Amino acid sequence: MSEIVFDPKILGGKAIIKGTRISVDFILELLSSDMSIEAILKEYPHLKKEDILAAYESASKEALN
């Protein structure tokens, strides 16, 4: 299962996908620019579909708070 973490040493403490330097914000930008999950996975092969879904879920929870 993918995990979203906050590390003050990476990207100023923004929410990132654990084990990467890819922020939740960046994933959301890609999705909002009509990039499909499949296209993101092709462009960033070290990511898994679960990573993208975890980023989306994290942002959704944040929006509700």
Side-chain angles (χ1 to χ4, degrees), residues 16-59:
I16 60 168
I17 297 169
K18 186 176 183 176
T20 74
R21 297 181 64 83
I22 297 180
S23 71
V24 167
D25 290 341
F26 181 67
I27 295 295
L28 295 177
E29 287 175 23
L30 295 175
L31 291 169
S32 69
S33 70
D34 290 331
M35 193 171 192
S36 68
I37 291 175
E38 292 76 20
I40 295 170
L41 295 173
K42 187 174 181 180
E43 187 73 23
Y44 301 93
H46 59 285
L47 293 178
K48 298 176 289 218
K49 183 175 182 179
E50 294 79 20
D51 296 328
I52 296 168
L53 296 176
Y56 186 77
E57 182 180 347
S58 172

